[in-house]
């Protein structure tokens, strides 16, 4: 039961500390779990570009699937709470509080399946026939849980949209060490940038080539 002294100030303070934890988690996944997934995929695929494309696609698709799941979950919670809601906080705040406290009700396994299904039909990535994208399910699950939690922040966090051939943007990306540092265009993406209200708060990583 939440104390009666709940205030927007307290909510904001908790929002700020949760945001800091989630941003740090995003950084940890990039530094450690992405690297583990890369090492795992290299046992099946010798082409490093394909390995990195697969992991980038998994990250972007995980955010998309988690956002869709969050949107559906939020509608469901709003319908349930609106029946007996009387304040003092707004219905929108009550819905957010409920989701933050009941994140374990999110069916992350359904999202993982959704991500793998999307990856299987993505023409830019391919896998040897003897293996399945399911080998990445640990990474995908981590990313889906993180992305779902990021939707409960005010404002929510998301990954930036990136396309092959886009102009390299220094405020959005780092170049991979194997990039051509004189090239102006992105050959492919290694990791997405994290954005808040359209502003990059954590840079992504790309490979630039002529």
């Amino acid at each position: 039961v939440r104390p009666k002294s709940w205030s927007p100030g307290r909510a904001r303070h908790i929002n700020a500390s949760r945001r800091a934890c989630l941003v740090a988690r995003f950084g940890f996944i990039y530094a450690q779990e992405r690297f583990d997934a890369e090492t795992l995929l290299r046992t099946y695929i010798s082409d490093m570009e394909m390995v990195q494309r697969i992991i980038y696609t998994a990250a972007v698709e995980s955010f998309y699937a988690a956002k869709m799941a969050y949107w559906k979950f939020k509608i469901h919670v709003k319908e349930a709470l609106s029946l007996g809601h009387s304040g003092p906080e707004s219905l929108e705040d009550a819905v957010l509080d409920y989701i933050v406290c009941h994140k374990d009700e999110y069916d992350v396994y359904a999202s993982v399946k959704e991500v793998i299904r999307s990856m299987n039909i993505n023409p830019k990535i391919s896998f040897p026939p003897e293996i399945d994208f399911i080998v990445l399910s640990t990474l995908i699950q981590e990313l889906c849980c993180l992305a779902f939690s990021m939707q409960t922040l005010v404002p929510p966090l998301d990954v930036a949209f990136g396309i092959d051939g886009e102009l390299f943007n220094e405020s959005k990306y780092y170049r991979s060490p194997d990039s051509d540092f004189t090239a102006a265009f992105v050959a492919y993406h290694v990791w997405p940038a994290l954005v808040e209200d359209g502003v990059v708060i954590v840079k992504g990583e790309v490979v630039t080539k002529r």
Side-chain angles (χ1 to χ4, degrees), residues 114-127:
E114 191 55 42
V115 171
I116 291 169
R117 195 191 61 78
S118 299
M119 290 175 75
N120 279 328
I121 56 170
N122 188 314
K124 279 197 180 157
I125 53 175
S126 60
F127 237 24

Side-chain angles (χ1 to χ4, degrees), residues 11-27:
R12 268 196 295 273
H13 174 70
I14 288 174
N15 187 72
S17 60
R18 280 179 49 242
R19 177 186 179 277
C21 288
L22 293 170
V23 171
R25 181 88 195 106
F26 183 78

Side-chain angles (χ1 to χ4, degrees), residues 135-149:
V135 297
L136 291 178
S137 47
T138 307
L139 177 70
I140 293 168
Q141 189 179 325
E142 280 288 337
L143 284 163
C144 285
C145 287
L146 177 70
F148 187 88
S149 291

Side-chain angles (χ1 to χ4, degrees), residues 21-39 48 51-52 55-60 63 138-140 142-144 146 150 159 168 172-179 181 188-194 201-207:
C21 288
L22 293 170
V23 171
R25 181 88 195 106
F26 183 78
F28 179 79
I29 292 175
Y30 165 70
Q32 187 58 53
E33 292 168 45
R34 173 189 67 93
F35 181 72
D36 293 344
E38 228 173 60
T39 306
M48 190 58 173
V51 165
Q52 291 181 324
I55 292 170
Y56 173 78
T57 305
V60 173
F63 266 80
T138 307
L139 177 70
I140 293 168
E142 280 288 337
L143 284 163
C144 285
L146 177 70
M150 283 180 166
V159 288
F168 175 72
K172 193 175 175 184
Y173 301 118
Y174 293 110
R175 291 182 208 252
S176 274
D178 52 347
S179 293
F181 279 72
Y188 64 93
H189 298 73
V190 174
W191 193 251
L194 192 66
I201 57 168
V202 179
K203 287 188 193 183
E205 186 186 332
V206 295
V207 172

Side-chain angles (χ1 to χ4, degrees), residues 19 42 62 67 73 75 81 84 101 134 136 164 166 171 175 194 207:
R19 177 186 179 277
R42 286 303 294 273
S62 295
K67 279 192 303 184
F73 190 51
I75 289 172
L81 292 186
C101 294
I134 225 152
L136 291 178
D164 288 357
E166 69 179 295
S171 62
R175 291 182 208 252
L194 192 66
V207 172

